Amino acid sequence: MKKVIIGLVLTLSVVIVGAIYLYQSAHAPYAQAEDETITFLAERTDLDQVEDFYWYNGEVTTFTVRGFNEAEEEKLYMVQPEGGAIVTFDAAEIVTEQEARRVTREAREPKRILNAKVGLMNDTPIWEVTYKNENDRLGYYIIHLKTGEWLRTIDNI
């Protein structure tokens, strides 16, 4: 009986260590992109405090950081890895993540909202809200970052 318990404990330990390793390996590119983007922005802008990081993969990959500058003004900093162009928005000029989620809930009545990301679509700043519909199918509701105006819906994926 002792050998069985020791075997189970060892097996469980290997499974837990393996799961942690897999998670860290899968999360490493995201963490690296976040760290590199924050460092890049800290060197080239007045970014002082980071609140959120968004990674958008559309036509163009965009990394976005929401945070505060040295004057404690809330800003949104968008970076395109290709070329390193930086676009900055004052938080007062844009639709918040909560508002983007609310607009999506009202328009699409999703079963569950999975996440919201900031990005660029045809050089237009957007919120892309990902959700599951009533059939558990994936959907994207895309609105303009500044106006909250609907731009595109992709449903039943």
Side-chain angles (χ1 to χ4, degrees), residues 27 34 37 70 78 82 92 104 114 121 146:
H27 193 277
E34 181 176 10
T37 302
E70 294 160 355
M78 298 177 86
E82 293 292 320
T104 302
L114 303 175
M121 184 177 75
K146 285 187 163 187

Short mmCIF file of all heavy atoms in Angstrom, two decimals, residues 27 34 37 70 78 82 92 104 114 121 146:
data_model
loop_
_atom_site.label_atom_id
_atom_site.label_comp_id
_atom_site.label_asym_id
_atom_site.label_seq_id
_atom_site.Cartn_x
_atom_site.Cartn_y
_atom_site.Cartn_z
N HIS A 27 2.97 30.74 -22.31
CA HIS A 27 2.79 32.14 -21.94
C HIS A 27 4.04 32.98 -22.23
O HIS A 27 3.96 34.22 -22.29
CB HIS A 27 2.43 32.23 -20.45
CG HIS A 27 1.94 33.57 -20.03
ND1 HIS A 27 2.78 34.59 -19.71
CD2 HIS A 27 0.69 34.06 -19.91
CE1 HIS A 27 2.08 35.67 -19.38
NE2 HIS A 27 0.81 35.37 -19.50
N GLU A 34 5.06 41.69 -23.98
CA GLU A 34 4.64 42.70 -23.01
C GLU A 34 5.85 43.44 -22.45
O GLU A 34 5.89 44.67 -22.43
CB GLU A 34 3.83 42.06 -21.89
CG GLU A 34 3.33 43.04 -20.86
CD GLU A 34 2.45 42.39 -19.80
OE1 GLU A 34 2.37 41.15 -19.74
OE2 GLU A 34 1.85 43.14 -19.02
N THR A 37 7.57 45.61 -25.15
CA THR A 37 6.76 46.77 -25.52
C THR A 37 6.82 47.84 -24.43
O THR A 37 6.97 49.03 -24.73
CB THR A 37 5.29 46.36 -25.76
OG1 THR A 37 5.26 45.37 -26.81
CG2 THR A 37 4.42 47.54 -26.15
N GLU A 70 3.86 60.62 -16.76
CA GLU A 70 4.47 61.22 -15.57
C GLU A 70 3.58 62.30 -14.95
O GLU A 70 3.69 62.59 -13.76
CB GLU A 70 5.84 61.78 -15.94
CG GLU A 70 6.81 60.67 -16.32
CD GLU A 70 7.98 61.14 -17.14
OE1 GLU A 70 8.04 62.32 -17.53
OE2 GLU A 70 8.85 60.29 -17.41
N MET A 78 -0.15 52.74 -28.63
CA MET A 78 -0.20 51.64 -29.59
C MET A 78 1.12 51.57 -30.33
O MET A 78 1.62 52.58 -30.81
CB MET A 78 -1.34 51.84 -30.59
CG MET A 78 -2.70 51.87 -29.96
SD MET A 78 -3.98 52.21 -31.19
CE MET A 78 -4.27 50.56 -31.75
N GLU A 82 6.39 46.05 -36.52
CA GLU A 82 7.05 46.33 -37.79
C GLU A 82 7.22 47.84 -37.92
O GLU A 82 6.26 48.56 -38.17
CB GLU A 82 6.21 45.80 -38.97
CG GLU A 82 6.11 44.30 -39.03
CD GLU A 82 7.44 43.64 -39.37
OE1 GLU A 82 8.16 44.16 -40.22
OE2 GLU A 82 7.73 42.60 -38.74
N ALA A 92 -9.42 60.03 -22.22
CA ALA A 92 -10.69 60.77 -22.29
C ALA A 92 -11.25 60.80 -23.72
O ALA A 92 -12.44 61.02 -23.91
CB ALA A 92 -10.48 62.19 -21.79
N THR A 104 -21.16 45.74 -26.97
CA THR A 104 -21.23 44.39 -27.56
C THR A 104 -22.38 43.60 -26.94
O THR A 104 -23.12 42.92 -27.64
CB THR A 104 -19.90 43.64 -27.35
OG1 THR A 104 -18.85 44.42 -27.95
CG2 THR A 104 -19.93 42.27 -27.96
N LEU A 114 -15.46 36.94 -23.91
CA LEU A 114 -14.18 36.33 -23.57
C LEU A 114 -13.10 37.37 -23.29
O LEU A 114 -12.39 37.26 -22.29
CB LEU A 114 -13.73 35.40 -24.70
CG LEU A 114 -14.71 34.29 -25.06
CD1 LEU A 114 -14.22 33.51 -26.27
CD2 LEU A 114 -14.94 33.37 -23.88
N MET A 121 -7.22 48.27 -37.56
CA MET A 121 -7.81 47.59 -38.70
C MET A 121 -7.90 48.62 -39.82
O MET A 121 -8.61 49.63 -39.69
CB MET A 121 -9.21 47.07 -38.36
CG MET A 121 -9.86 46.27 -39.46
SD MET A 121 -11.47 45.60 -38.97
CE MET A 121 -12.49 47.07 -39.04
N LYS A 146 -12.45 55.42 -30.91
CA LYS A 146 -12.78 56.77 -30.46
C LYS A 146 -14.28 57.03 -30.36
O LYS A 146 -14.74 57.69 -29.44
CB LYS A 146 -12.15 57.82 -31.39
CG LYS A 146 -10.67 57.98 -31.21
CD LYS A 146 -10.18 59.14 -32.04
CE LYS A 146 -8.82 59.58 -31.58
NZ LYS A 146 -8.40 60.80 -32.27
#
